[in-house]
């Protein structure tokens, strides 16, 4: 296993016969931590659908740090995709169906990974859950400071605004957010979806009227929890779920 991944990955296998798709799960946490409820529980949900999952606890900024963390999280994510496609999980994986699913700041990392130039590490499908996307007017400043350090220049912020990085090669995406999210504005999800549509990339966007930031699988909110059904249907349309 690459050094960048040592002690950072957890593999959750599905029971469906292979080769199966695999999804890299990136928990949120403002680039300061990785939230447990957005990690292994989500991987187990994916495995229940018939998709292998790999949770990546990517590098985060130490408490009180004012230095730039970038590009350490992206380096870990690209290493994880290479490792999965090379058979590192030991599972029967389809290397042409490797997805990424990220929450909040993990959503920013997922969107950044999805917009890299290198097809060898770019995923084939993207799921973004109440994502941080833009480092512009609608930025989550805590994530910006953790990733780029205090007082980052406008050019650096623009370079890591995922909506600016979208091209026709960006993979299709499923995106959801809540309209009254008071931590990460829903505009982030809208910006990414609009950028995909403008580039001719398929995108499915769900905006729920209400729900706090950080809901994860949203077991406490039955209405928002429907995102998992909608996402499963989207994955099925991509032919990523087992057929009866």
């Amino acid at each position: 296993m690459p050094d960048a991944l040592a002690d950072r990955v957890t593999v959750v296998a599905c029971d469906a016969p292979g080769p199966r798709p695999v999804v890299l799960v990136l928990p949120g946490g403002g680039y300061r931590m990785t939230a447990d409820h957005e990690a292994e529980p989500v991987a187990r949900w994916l495995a229940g659908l018939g998709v292998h999952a790999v949770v990546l606890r990517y590098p985060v900024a130490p408490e009180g740090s004012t230095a730039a963390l970038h590009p350490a999280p992206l380096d870990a994510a690209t290493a994880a995709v290479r490792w999965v496609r090379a058979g590192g999980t030991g599972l029967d994986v389809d290397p042409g169906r490797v997805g990424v699913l990220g929450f909040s700041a993990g959503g920013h990392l997922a969107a950044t990974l999805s917009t890299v130039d290198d097809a060898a590490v770019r995923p084939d499908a993207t799921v973004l859950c109440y994502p941080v996307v833009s480092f512009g007017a609608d930025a989550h400043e805590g994530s910006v400071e953790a990733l780029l350090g205090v007082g980052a220049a406008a050019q650096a912020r623009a370079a890591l605004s995922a909506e600016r990085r979208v091209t026709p090669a960006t993979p299709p995406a499923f995106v959801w957010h809540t309209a009254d999210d008071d931590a990460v504005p829903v505009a982030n999800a809208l910006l990414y979806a609009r950028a995909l549509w403008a580039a001719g990339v398929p995108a499915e966007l769900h905006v729920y009227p209400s729900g706090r930031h950080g809901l994860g699988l949203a077991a406490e909110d039955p209405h928002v929890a429907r995102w998992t059904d909608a996402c499963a249907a989207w994955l099925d349309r991509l032919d990523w779920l087992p057929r009866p």
Side-chain angles (χ1 to χ4, degrees), residues 57-239:
R57 302 277 186 171
Y58 51 88
V60 295
E63 187 66 32
S65 173
T66 59
L69 174 66
H70 178 73
L74 184 58
D75 287 346
T78 57
V81 174
R82 288 188 190 277
W83 178 72
V84 166
R85 285 190 170 139
T89 64
L91 302 172
D92 192 1
V93 168
D94 180 354
R97 290 186 293 175
V98 176
V100 63
L101 184 157
F103 295 86
S104 193
H108 179 264
L109 180 55
T112 306
L113 178 65
S114 297
T115 53
V116 296
D117 291 333
D118 187 354
V121 297
R122 192 169 56 236
D124 304 295
T126 308
V127 177
L128 303 181
C129 311
Y130 42 88
V132 176
V133 169
S134 181
F135 281 3
D138 296 295
H140 178 253
E141 290 298 331
S143 295
V144 176
E145 289 192 358
L147 189 62
L148 294 180
V150 175
Q155 184 176 5
R157 293 174 67 118
L160 284 177
S161 291
E163 80 278 12
R164 294 172 173 259
R165 299 165 53 95
V166 168
T167 72
T170 303
F174 177 95
V175 186
W176 74 271
H177 216 117
T178 57
D180 64 352
D181 189 323
D182 62 358
V184 176
V186 67
N188 283 262
L190 303 178
L191 285 168
Y192 194 72
R194 287 179 64 185
L196 291 172
W197 294 326
V201 177
E204 181 166 328
L205 173 65
H206 294 256
V207 177
Y208 298 92
S210 183
R212 66 170 178 84
H213 187 74
L215 281 170
L217 294 173
E220 69 187 62
D221 190 325
H223 181 59
V224 181
R226 294 176 184 174
W227 82 263
T228 57
D229 294 332
C231 185
W234 180 77
L235 289 169
D236 190 46
R237 288 192 294 276
L238 292 183
D239 197 24

